[in-house]
Amino acid sequence: VPKAARASTARAASDASKASDEVVMGTPTASPSAPRRFRCLYPLDAPLKDKISKICRELYLAADVEYSPAAQEQIEAYERHAVIRRYPICVAKTQYSLSTDPKKKGAPTGHTIFVREIYPKLGAGFLVVVCGDIMLIPGLPTRPGFYDVDLDADTGRVIGLF
């Protein structure tokens, strides 16, 4: 393991802009002997199931991956799309465990990851693989909510908030 050639103290809470800049600027030079080449865990042109399996087995220590019927249909549809099938994978799962079971705390091995659904983030260019019973935070709507907020001039009441 290479040792850092330079270190910075993070004082972002007390002097946010100056301290944060110092840490960010020091990061690229912290280990000059370390390789600077990023590579994915899997080839981008690999089949989607291969990409998902590689992540689940190597990062999450799973023995197997199972797919819901909906996820299976989505994979088949995305595999037919020349651009989407090359997207990298982002896994959404419980933060409490490497498995999809939040009761199995820490880093269990040999478990099965259940893929519930898969959907593309077209603007960002990746596929979100939703695993287990994780609930996702909804994204922003295409029409902002403030369009429905108004002030009733007669009563002075704000309307459209709820």
Side-chain angles (χ1 to χ4, degrees):
V1 176
K3 295 189 180 195
R6 180 169 181 236
S8 298
T9 302
R11 290 183 289 275
S14 62
D15 187 9
S17 63
K18 182 180 176 191
S20 297
D21 287 347
E22 183 180 317
V23 171
V24 169
M25 297 308 288
T27 301
T29 60
S31 183
S33 62
R36 297 173 195 259
R37 190 181 60 200
F38 172 81
R39 71 174 181 82
C40 286
L41 185 62
Y42 47 79
L44 290 176
D45 58 353
L48 293 177
K49 279 191 169 182
D50 290 356
K51 292 180 193 180
I52 295 166
S53 179
K54 184 89 165 175
I55 291 169
C56 291
R57 292 176 195 275
E58 293 195 24
L59 292 181
Y60 298 126
L61 309 176
D64 199 15
V65 182
E66 290 182 1
Y67 299 87
S68 72
Q72 184 60 46
E73 286 178 24
Q74 291 163 332
I75 287 173
E76 291 168 8
Y78 300 147
E79 285 288 3
R80 290 190 296 267
H81 194 283
V83 175
I84 293 176
R85 72 174 178 226
R86 290 185 45 82
Y87 279 0
I89 304 294
C90 173
V91 177
K93 54 174 272 322
T94 182
Q95 73 270 26
Y96 298 114
S97 173
L98 288 182
S99 75
T100 52
D101 181 353
K103 293 179 190 131
K104 292 182 180 177
K105 305 280 190 227
T109 60
H111 54 274
T112 298
I113 296 223
F114 178 70
V115 176
R116 188 176 78 216
E117 63 182 311
I118 302 168
Y119 60 94
K121 291 294 187 179
L122 299 174
F126 60 87
L127 288 170
V128 177
V129 175
V130 182
C131 299
D133 293 330
I134 189 87
M135 289 178 37
L136 303 178
I137 298 172
L140 296 174
T142 56
R143 183 173 183 273
F146 74 83
Y147 283 127
D148 299 323
V149 177
D150 203 357
L151 180 65
D152 184 328
D154 296 331
T155 65
R157 280 187 68 166
V158 176
I159 55 174
L161 286 178
F162 304 104

